[in-house]
């Protein structure tokens, strides 16, 4: 898609056009206010538009399956979208809220500005300390103040950790990474004619659109798992497979583990690696969230899977895009926000200083700067890059399923930075408005970890709220196999 003719956020579904002969534009697919979080960027438009892409993909799938109700079955609301994009903050386990950030994660001052660190996973915390030449987190703040932000970023990244200097949008756009990512679409589709077309399985259980579809989930953290919990709610048989040496954080598993089964496999073991490849060949969709270079060692990267299993829809996501010096690099939503300028736009002076607390959209501070002692960077009200990319992953998977009936298969590439670019390019409706309180409905279920309070999926089917079929199961408890397909 021409970078000079980008769609508006509510029209993100147009990125599915290369796959779908006609991208359905259902009427009345969402209700509620257009803005509710408020802030420097149109995070609400990004959230609505990403789910709107999924709504359109589901309408296309309905049409491919001969459903006369094509385009009219699926809807959402501002309240459902807002709750889903902030699901981990609504999660309660026996009444206790989730533990979202580790002590070393977050913004830290440096000698010349700010850096954002991510140390939620133990192996990333260890690499951060090693890169900074420390043995204790107590030494971190003092050590950071002795070095420049870009120097810290380079040292931590080179050591296998995760960090990003806080840049302005213009600073990011001028970097080789920013220049490379600017040309990538929100959804990058690659399509082929299937040598032996396969009909879509559909067992009709519960009248759900993805009943009978098998999805192999090789993702982690938020973006990919949030996509597969929704695909599972839509009827798919979802199997998530994790490496035992780097287990998922428990609260992340509880938040995104709904409607799927959880297994572990050590790909360093040839037998287990072969078993996962067999599962991929038996699947309809495979989602990839690990670095492609790592997956290629086991024949689980995009190109290897597409060559071995031509029927397969492969959807892959990355942090930094697919070209440029940071392609295939480690990253998270909060780190991408810091690097690309979003954290700068949401930065400002603390309340009570007598100055504006946030930067006007698209502009650098006109008074206090990033080097002033009182200024500090900020963040989007939710991890919108993760969740919007997750909805794009789900939409791409459904779109590739929809075209399978025409004998077309393919892959899709997505990234957090491409989602950030859509947000940064978009205009902001009524930037002066304040937050709007939305009613959040929660559900309750008993699980292996205790009583869970959680928000439902962000979709309404035929006027009925979509629900998760079961809560998150015990981590790693499922066998490496599929449920029976009727």
């Amino acid at each position: 898609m021409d970078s000079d003719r980008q769609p508006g956020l509510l029209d993100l579904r147009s990125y599915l056009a290369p796959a779908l002969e006609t991208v359905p534009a259902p009427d009345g697919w969402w209700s509620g206010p257009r803005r509710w979080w408020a802030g420097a960027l149109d995070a609400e438009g990004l959230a609505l538009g990403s789910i709107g892409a999924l709504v359109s993909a589901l309408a296309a799938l309905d049409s491919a399956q001969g459903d006369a109700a094509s385009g009219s079955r699926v809807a959402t609301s501002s309240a459902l979208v807002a709750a889903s994009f902030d699901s981990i903050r609504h999660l309660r386990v026996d009444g206790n809220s989730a533990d979202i950030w580790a002590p070393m994660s977050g913004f830290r001052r440096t000698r010349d500005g700010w850096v954002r660190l991510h140390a939620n996973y133990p192996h990333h915390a260890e690499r951060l300390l090693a890169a900074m030449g420390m043995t204790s987190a107590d030494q971190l703040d003092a050590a950071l103040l002795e070095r420049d932000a870009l120097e810290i970023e380079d040292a931590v990244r080179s050591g296998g950790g995760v960090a990003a200097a806080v840049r302005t949008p213009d600073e990011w756009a001028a970097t080789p990474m920013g220049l490379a990512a600017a040309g990538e679409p929100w959804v990058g589709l690659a399509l082929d004619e299937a040598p032996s077309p396969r009909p879509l399985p559909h067992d009709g259980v519960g009248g759900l659109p993805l009943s009978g579809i098998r999805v192999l989930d090789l993702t982690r953290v938020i973006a990919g798992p949030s996509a597969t919990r929704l695909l599972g709610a839509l009827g798919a048989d979802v199997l998530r497979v994790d490496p035992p040496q780097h287990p998922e954080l428990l609260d992340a598993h509880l938040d995104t583990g709904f409607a799927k089964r959880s297994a572990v496999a050590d790909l360093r073991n040839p037998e287990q690696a072969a078993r996962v490849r067999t599962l991929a060949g038996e699947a309809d969709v495979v989602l990839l969230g690990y670095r492609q270079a790592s997956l290629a060692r086991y024949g689980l990267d995009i190109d290897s899977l597409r060559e071995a299993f031509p029927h397969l829809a492969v959807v892959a996501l990355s942090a930094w895009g697919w070209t440029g010096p940071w392609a295939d690099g480690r990253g998270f939503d909060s780190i991408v926000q810091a690097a690309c300028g979003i954290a700068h736009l949401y930065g400002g002076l603390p309340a009570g200083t007598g100055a504006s607390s946030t930067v006007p959209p698209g502009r650098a501070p006109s008074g206090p700067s990033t080097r002033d002692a009182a200024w500090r960077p900020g963040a989007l009200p939710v991890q919108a890059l993760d969740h919007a990319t997750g909805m794009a992953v789900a939409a791409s998977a459904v779109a590739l399923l929809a075209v399978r009936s025409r004998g077309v298969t393919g892959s899709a590439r997505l990234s957090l930075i491409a989602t950030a670019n859509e947000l940064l390019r978009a205009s902001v409706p009524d930037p002066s408005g304040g937050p709007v309180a939305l009613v959040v409905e929660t559900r309750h279920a008993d699980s292996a970890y205790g009583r869970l309070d959680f928000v439902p999926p962000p979709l309404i089917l035929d006027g009925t709220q979509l629900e998760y079929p079961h809560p998150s199961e015990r981590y790693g408890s499922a066998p490496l196999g599929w449920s029976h397909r009727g």
Side-chain angles (χ1 to χ4, degrees):
M1 182 170 294
D2 188 338
S3 60
D4 293 329
R5 300 179 61 188
Q6 301 293 336
L9 291 176
L10 292 184
D11 296 318
L12 287 173
R13 64 182 181 273
S14 62
Y15 280 105
L16 303 177
L20 305 180
E21 292 177 329
T22 301
V23 181
D27 293 328
W29 58 271
W30 66 277
S31 60
R34 174 62 177 79
R35 292 273 280 172
W36 56 86
W37 289 313
L41 297 172
D42 188 12
E44 298 90 343
L46 179 67
L48 288 168
S50 62
I51 289 183
L54 176 57
V55 171
S56 289
L58 287 166
L61 181 63
D62 284 346
S63 179
Q65 293 174 331
D67 192 330
S70 175
S72 64
R73 298 179 62 216
V74 188
T76 189
S77 69
S78 301
L80 285 172
V81 172
S84 177
F85 271 55
D86 205 16
S87 60
I88 196 164
R89 286 203 185 104
H90 295 295
L91 178 69
R92 298 291 183 272
V93 184
D94 287 334
N96 299 310
S97 59
D99 187 8
I100 299 175
W101 299 110
M104 288 195 296
S105 294
F107 293 111
R108 293 289 191 280
R109 289 188 184 275
T110 67
R111 181 165 57 194
D112 65 339
W114 291 83
V115 69
R116 178 112 197 194
L117 308 175
H118 199 289
N120 284 10
Y121 290 91
H123 59 293
H124 289 157
E126 293 170 2
R127 294 170 186 174
L128 169 61
L129 290 176
M132 295 300 297
M134 299 179 305
T135 58
S136 170
D138 295 338
Q139 304 167 309
L140 182 61
D141 286 340
L144 294 173
L145 289 171
E146 296 177 355
R147 303 170 74 172
D148 292 344
L150 291 175
E151 179 188 358
I152 295 165
E153 173 187 272
D154 183 64
V156 175
R157 286 178 50 81
S158 298
V162 188
V166 174
R167 295 171 172 85
T168 68
D170 288 344
E171 288 170 346
W172 169 255
T175 65
M177 303 83 72
L179 290 168
E184 296 188 4
W186 188 54
V187 177
L189 288 161
L191 305 174
D192 300 292
E193 291 186 9
S196 301
R198 296 188 185 186
L200 276 177
H202 189 70
D203 61 21
V205 175
L208 294 171
L210 299 186
S211 293
I213 297 295
R214 290 172 172 171
V215 178
L216 181 61
D217 180 1
L218 302 180
T219 71
R220 63 187 301 151
V221 197
I222 297 174
S226 68
T228 51
R229 73 178 174 188
L230 188 48
L231 296 177
L234 288 164
D237 178 13
V238 179
L239 178 65
R240 174 173 166 175
V241 180
D242 282 86
Q245 68 272 26
H246 295 310
E248 183 59 277
L249 301 174
L250 178 57
D251 285 339
H253 167 67
L254 292 176
D255 178 43
T256 62
F258 292 86
K260 67 185 78 167
R261 292 173 296 121
S262 168
V264 295
D266 190 343
L267 298 181
R268 299 168 300 182
N269 180 313
E271 292 183 0
Q272 293 188 37
R275 179 59 187 148
V276 173
R277 271 182 58 86
T278 298
L279 289 170
E282 296 169 346
D284 301 292
V285 178
V286 174
L287 304 188
L288 305 175
Y290 294 89
R291 294 179 299 132
Q292 291 294 299
S294 298
L295 292 170
R297 295 200 295 268
Y298 311 104
L300 292 170
D301 58 301
I302 300 171
D303 294 338
S304 298
L305 288 173
R306 291 284 302 131
E307 181 179 359
F309 312 114
H311 75 282
L312 197 59
V314 182
V315 184
L317 63 104
S318 73
W320 303 107
W322 302 93
T323 59
W326 282 9
D328 218 29
R330 298 173 180 86
F332 297 88
D333 179 307
S334 59
I335 299 297
V336 173
Q337 287 190 47
C340 74
I342 291 175
H344 177 78
L345 294 176
Y346 277 81
L349 297 173
T353 61
S356 175
S357 61
T358 58
V359 178
R363 299 203 329 240
S366 57
S369 74
T370 58
R371 295 191 181 188
D372 288 336
W375 189 93
R376 65 175 294 114
L380 291 167
V382 296
Q383 297 197 66
L385 305 185
D386 264 329
H387 284 279
T389 305
M391 294 304 97
V393 166
S396 299
V398 173
L400 290 170
L401 290 171
V403 299
R404 186 164 138 180
S405 63
R406 305 201 315 260
V408 176
T409 63
S411 63
R413 287 174 165 86
L414 305 98
S415 67
L416 300 182
I417 190 60
T419 299
N421 284 336
E422 294 295 331
L423 182 58
L424 287 165
R425 281 191 289 255
S427 60
V428 182
D430 188 20
S432 63
V436 175
L438 299 174
V439 176
V440 177
E441 294 187 4
T442 58
R443 302 291 189 266
H444 319 284
D446 292 327
S447 77
Y449 298 92
R451 175 187 166 92
L452 302 183
D453 300 325
F454 55 94
V455 295
L459 294 178
I460 300 167
L461 269 60
D462 286 330
T464 301
Q465 172 67 53
L466 183 66
E467 302 288 354
Y468 295 119
H470 59 79
S472 303
E473 298 180 352
R474 186 165 294 281
Y475 182 78
S477 63
L480 287 171
W482 297 107
S483 300
H484 174 69
R485 181 145 70 185

